[in-house]
Amino acid sequence: MPQKSADLTLVRASIRQISDWRKLLTKKGRRETGQVLLEGARLVGEAVVSDVEVSAVVVADVEHGHRDLRKLLTAVNRRSAPIFAVPPRDFEKLTDTVHASGIACVIKWNPRRFNPTEVSQGLRRVLICDRIADPGNLGTLIRTAAGLGIDAVFLLPETAELSNPKTVRAAAGAFFHIPVYEDVAPQRIITWARQASITIFVADAHRGESVALVAPKHWALVVGGETIQLDKAWESSASRWISLPLHRGVESLNAAVAGAIIMD
């Protein structure tokens, strides 16, 4: 039954709805429904002002009276997205964080697919994530790329899932501001880069030129996982290999840290 809270109307979520939302914490649930659960005021705020489809906003009963949250919910009202209230104990079941924020939203997830003929125009600086297995590292790389004004991010097969809650949190809404293309085969990137006169740089901890080199205006940077070998396609392409000079005794850096330094 709807609850009136000043100018806001909150609907009591059913047990079935809460159960369905919980399934979005799993990869299977996200793939089967084509939906993703975003938790936290920042991510909900980003979703509300973006052009994504917001199918539901969920708040813990004790939270919606807070001034900042009411302001956000008023913006949700303008999007005509339904607002559901759930008991705090049930809200905690919708997140894998230690301290639940009290607000989340469900959005329709439309993975971007790379089509060179449609998206190649205007791409001058690109980040390529080659089997970055850790969702936190992937999210951080995407957030850094967006912050540095990189034009797009390509995710190779076997890279961590973009819609994984840990990736989403680490990216902090950056995927609303930079196009991220999923499941892109390396050979397609190599062909596109050759046609677009873009130099591919492959970051490697153990070989290659120093990153201090002067990069061209148009480039694509490949960053791989720390324990997984880079795709062999880069070996057969005309890619240039680069590395960060490190002090003796330091073998390598975290993938997200190394990628941030090189992109900058």
Side-chain angles (χ1 to χ4, degrees):
M1 183 175 179
Q3 304 174 13
K4 286 286 185 178
S5 179
D7 55 338
L8 297 175
T9 299
L10 285 77
V11 179
R12 174 68 60 182
S14 68
I15 295 175
R16 174 63 183 272
Q17 286 173 314
I18 295 171
S19 176
D20 287 344
W21 294 330
R22 284 191 66 186
K23 292 176 183 176
L24 299 182
L25 294 177
T26 69
K27 185 175 184 178
K28 180 182 178 183
R30 293 188 291 272
R31 286 193 169 180
E32 287 181 349
T33 63
Q35 294 183 316
V36 172
L37 184 73
L38 306 180
E39 194 233 339
R42 178 172 183 169
L43 285 173
V44 174
E46 293 274 14
V48 168
V49 299
S50 74
D51 58 358
V52 301
E53 180 182 328
V54 180
S55 59
V57 172
V58 188
V59 295
D61 277 342
V62 296
E63 297 291 341
H64 58 80
H66 294 183
R67 185 176 63 181
D68 290 345
L69 199 50
R70 285 183 57 79
K71 200 172 173 184
L72 176 55
L73 292 178
T74 299
V76 172
N77 259 0
R78 289 196 289 269
R79 281 287 303 266
S80 300
I83 306 172
F84 295 90
V86 301
R89 184 174 297 181
D90 286 332
F91 188 90
E92 290 175 1
K93 298 175 183 177
L94 301 178
T95 175
D96 58 359
T97 58
V98 177
H99 302 290
S101 65
I103 185 168
C105 71
V106 178
I107 66 169
K108 185 174 182 181
W109 190 261
N110 292 311
R112 291 179 184 263
R113 301 302 181 193
F114 180 59
N115 185 334
T117 60
E118 293 179 0
V119 303
S120 61
Q121 296 299 319
L123 295 187
R124 297 294 178 263
R125 299 189 302 160
V126 172
L127 171 66
I128 303 166
C129 296
D130 184 347
R131 290 178 284 190
I132 300 287
D134 182 84
N137 279 345
L138 177 61
T140 300
L141 280 165
I142 294 171
R143 182 179 184 179
T144 302
L148 294 175
I150 303 305
D151 296 317
V153 179
F154 296 158
L155 308 185
L156 266 60
E158 299 180 52
T159 296
E161 185 193 13
L162 180 58
S163 58
N164 181 296
K166 293 180 180 178
T167 308
V168 170
R169 279 197 302 276
F175 46 78
F176 288 120
H177 305 287
I178 183 172
V180 182
Y181 298 94
E182 301 181 62
D183 201 31
V184 186
Q187 194 56 55
R188 295 194 73 196
I189 297 174
I190 292 168
T191 301
W192 160 75
R194 187 180 299 119
Q195 294 173 346
S197 300
I198 290 178
T199 303
I200 296 177
F201 290 93
V202 184
D204 188 283
H206 307 292
R207 62 164 165 157
E209 308 167 70
S210 169
V211 74
L213 57 84
V214 179
K217 291 182 179 180
H218 304 165
W219 52 261
L221 171 67
V222 179
V223 176
E226 295 156 58
T227 59
I228 302 176
Q229 192 173 20
L230 289 162
D231 195 287
K232 292 181 180 179
W234 309 123
E235 294 279 3
S236 58
S237 70
S239 304
R240 293 171 62 177
W241 294 70
I242 56 175
S243 62
L244 286 168
L246 301 174
H247 282 285
R248 184 177 300 173
V250 180
E251 184 178 346
S252 64
L253 295 178
N254 170 282
V257 173
I261 293 172
I262 297 172
M263 279 189 285
D264 193 32

